[in-house]
Amino acid sequence: MNHLPLIIKREYLTKVRNKSFILMTFLSPLIFIGLISLIVYLTQINNNKQRTISILDETGKISQVFKTEKVTKDSNTTYNFLQGISLEEAKKQVQETEEYGLLHIRQMASTEEIAKHIIFYSEDSPSSKFISSLERILNGKLTEEALLKNNVDINLVKSSKMDIAIGQETFSGERSSKLINYSKLGFGFAAGYLLFMFIIIYGNMIMRSVIEEKTNRIIEIIISSVKPIQLLMGKIIGTSLAGITQFLMWIILGGTIVVILWLIFGFDLVSAQTAQQQEMIAQGANVDISVLISYIIGSLPIVNLVIAFFIFFIGGYLLYSSLYAAIGAAVDNETDTQQFMMPILMPLILAVYVGGFTVLEDPHGSVATVFSYLPFTSPVVMLMRIPFGVPIWEQIISIVILYITFVGTVWFAAKIYRVGILMYGKKPSYKEIFKWLKY
């Protein structure tokens, strides 16, 4: 008799009726949105921090750039210009007034020497972003000074600067850009990372479920009337359905919370779009944000992405969850699982980082292509490659290899599961597990 449907139903109901499962289903969206809100709030506090910087310019020329409207407008930094005092007196004054720091520009014979002798003094180490902003301001001023010294017309230099934006288009006529490529990688990385987190969270849930039943000796009763392979598949599918249920609830609850917050606090989308447009215009990209978003979405193979996401998501999860179940059957407690977890996690971690670093650089290169075929990395890497246009035949080959490997992994896991669920009081080694495959 086929007991698989009964096992799936039992595993599913056991999980969804669990109090901690229900609690985390409702609390997780609140915690996640709360953390994002806290990060945004803390970031705004940090960005809005008011700083007072004293400037001691012994040349009498360089500090003038900090008085221009371009530097002072919309800035949280106030500049205090010191004159007629020594460096030690300036340091003491800044410390007494508890200012953020002191920028000292030494008097030198040439501009090149000045550039090497500008020092920022502060009580604590300033952020790299802040120092970089000071360097950009000073670089512009010192460059102008050097040009003037060499009798070069600054206006001529400025008018001669070219802002090149290389257009991108395939031979088939598909247009692209750096921004669109980053957006494509973002879609792929989000899909791959989602699978990564799903495997870790619900794979561990399967493993703990097996360990719990094994520890309570319930498994001895169940195994007397159910085949190990049916029990293994029932746990995998039942827990997977519970995970999907929880995930869908997170999407519904998270979307509802976001809408409620929007209705209560409001959000001016027009102002946000205008600010984004101004920022892009300042960078030399005079485009309409809504048109750009539509263009990005239009350039993505949405149907292919959705179908491939579900196929690779299911295949990747089933592949890894069978290994998690095998580990749970081989050990008596979670402490003993650590020696077996690393071989499982390493391909996942490798897939995320290899995909993130190689796909953007060359989505059709040999490294990205090979890892999109390897079954333990293909669910993540192939999802990252698809937005860049992967031929259907390559996707089919990757899917076939993935599911064939899953079948082999289930056979492998079932062998371990059949012996391991009845083994107690002994910490197994890799050598002993290899022997179980011969039973």
Side-chain angles (χ1 to χ4, degrees):
M1 181 178 179
N2 186 10
H3 295 89
L4 183 60
L6 293 175
I7 299 170
I8 294 173
K9 181 180 179 181
R10 172 184 174 273
E11 289 295 325
Y12 177 78
L13 294 178
T14 301
K15 296 292 184 298
V16 298
R17 290 174 178 175
N18 187 279
K19 291 182 179 179
S20 61
F21 183 91
I22 297 173
L23 187 65
M24 290 309 299
T25 299
F26 288 95
L27 284 182
S28 293
L30 292 172
I31 295 172
F32 184 71
I33 294 174
L35 286 174
I36 293 177
S37 302
L38 178 62
I39 292 171
V40 172
Y41 175 71
L42 294 176
T43 302
Q44 289 178 344
I45 291 178
N46 186 64
N47 292 336
N48 294 330
K49 181 180 180 179
Q50 297 294 325
R51 299 181 179 92
T52 300
I53 305 297
S54 287
I55 300 177
L56 180 60
D57 182 11
E58 296 179 358
T59 67
K61 299 178 181 179
I62 307 302
S63 61
Q64 297 300 317
V65 70
F66 291 97
K67 298 179 182 179
T68 62
E69 182 181 357
K70 182 179 179 181
V71 175
T72 57
K73 187 178 180 181
D74 298 329
S75 175
N76 296 318
T77 304
T78 303
Y79 299 101
N80 179 29
F81 302 93
L82 305 178
Q83 293 179 346
I85 61 175
S86 65
L87 175 60
E88 295 302 321
E89 291 174 334
K91 287 181 181 179
K92 184 177 180 181
Q93 179 177 320
V94 169
Q95 286 180 308
E96 290 176 351
T97 55
E98 297 183 353
E99 295 178 0
Y100 188 73
L102 169 66
L103 182 65
H104 180 222
I105 304 172
R106 294 177 59 183
Q107 176 67 59
M108 289 291 168
S110 65
T111 304
E112 291 78 7
E113 292 183 2
I114 293 175
K116 298 177 182 178
H117 292 83
I118 299 178
I119 301 176
F120 184 80
Y121 297 94
S122 62
E123 190 70 31
D124 300 313
S125 297
S127 67
S128 299
K129 182 180 178 181
F130 175 74
I131 293 297
S132 296
S133 66
L134 292 180
E135 289 174 345
R136 283 194 299 270
I137 296 171
L138 291 169
N139 283 337
K141 181 62 177 177
L142 291 173
T143 300
E144 289 185 4
E145 289 291 328
L147 292 173
L148 288 172
K149 184 178 179 181
N150 292 288
N151 298 318
V152 177
D153 189 343
I154 297 176
N155 293 326
L156 181 60
V157 172
K158 290 181 179 179
S159 63
S160 300
K161 286 185 177 180
M162 302 296 291
D163 187 10
I164 304 299
I166 299 177
Q168 300 178 45
E169 187 173 335
T170 63
F171 289 112
S172 60
E174 181 183 351
R175 293 184 178 181
S176 184
S177 68
K178 289 188 293 184
L179 181 59
I180 290 175
N181 287 340
Y182 281 116
S183 301
K184 288 180 178 180
L185 181 64
F187 277 97
F189 190 84
Y193 193 75
L194 181 63
L195 173 60
F196 175 79
M197 294 304 298
F198 198 90
I199 288 173
I200 291 178
I201 294 172
Y202 296 103
N204 276 286
M205 187 181 292
I206 292 174
M207 184 178 66
R208 286 195 298 268
S209 175
V210 174
I211 293 174
E212 182 181 354
E213 289 184 351
K214 183 179 176 180
T215 304
N216 296 334
R217 301 297 177 93
I218 300 174
I219 202 73
E220 295 179 359
I221 301 173
I222 298 175
I223 205 67
S224 62
S225 57
V226 178
K227 294 180 179 180
I229 185 65
Q230 290 183 348
L231 187 58
L232 175 65
M233 291 303 300
K235 283 186 172 296
I236 292 173
I237 297 173
T239 305
S240 301
L241 292 175
I244 292 172
T245 302
Q246 189 176 56
F247 186 71
L248 292 175
M249 288 296 296
W250 284 346
I251 294 175
I252 296 171
L253 291 173
T256 303
I257 293 170
V258 170
V259 172
I260 292 174
L261 292 176
W262 179 76
L263 292 174
I264 294 175
F265 298 103
F267 184 70
D268 193 348
L269 294 174
V270 176
S271 298
Q273 178 174 317
T274 302
Q276 289 176 327
Q277 286 177 333
Q278 291 175 349
E279 182 178 352
M280 295 191 70
I281 290 171
Q283 297 174 355
N286 191 0
V287 294
D288 184 82
I289 298 299
S290 59
V291 174
L292 180 62
I293 293 174
S294 300
Y295 181 53
I296 291 174
I297 294 176
S299 66
L300 290 171
I302 300 297
V303 177
N304 188 2
L305 267 175
V306 172
I307 295 174
F309 174 77
F310 282 106
I311 294 175
F312 279 103
F313 192 92
I314 294 171
Y317 175 73
L318 292 177
L319 176 65
Y320 278 96
S321 59
S322 60
L323 295 177
Y324 272 99
I327 292 174
V331 300
D332 291 338
N333 54 72
E334 286 193 51
T335 305
D336 295 337
T337 63
Q338 301 307 313
Q339 62 175 325
F340 302 110
M341 292 300 295
M342 188 55 66
I344 294 180
L345 292 177
M346 281 302 295
L348 276 174
I349 297 172
L350 186 65
V352 171
Y353 284 98
V354 167
F357 286 109
T358 63
V359 171
L360 179 62
E361 182 68 25
D362 189 1
H364 304 294
S366 57
V367 176
T369 302
V370 169
F371 275 89
S372 65
Y373 286 146
L374 296 177
F376 289 96
T377 57
S378 62
V380 176
V381 180
M382 184 59 85
L383 287 176
M384 292 183 181
R385 288 187 62 209
I386 288 175
F388 294 93
V390 178
I392 297 298
W393 65 267
E394 286 192 27
Q395 299 180 41
I396 293 174
I397 291 174
S398 180
I399 291 170
V400 170
I401 294 174
L402 174 63
Y403 278 85
I404 289 176
T405 306
F406 162 64
V407 173
T409 305
V410 168
W411 175 86
F412 170 79
K415 285 279 190 177
I416 298 176
Y417 195 84
R418 183 169 59 89
V419 179
I421 53 178
L422 299 176
M423 299 289 289
Y424 300 97
K426 184 179 180 182
K427 187 175 180 179
S429 62
Y430 284 102
K431 183 178 180 181
E432 188 170 356
I433 290 176
F434 182 74
K435 289 181 181 179
W436 294 354
L437 298 177
K438 300 178 182 179
Y439 293 162

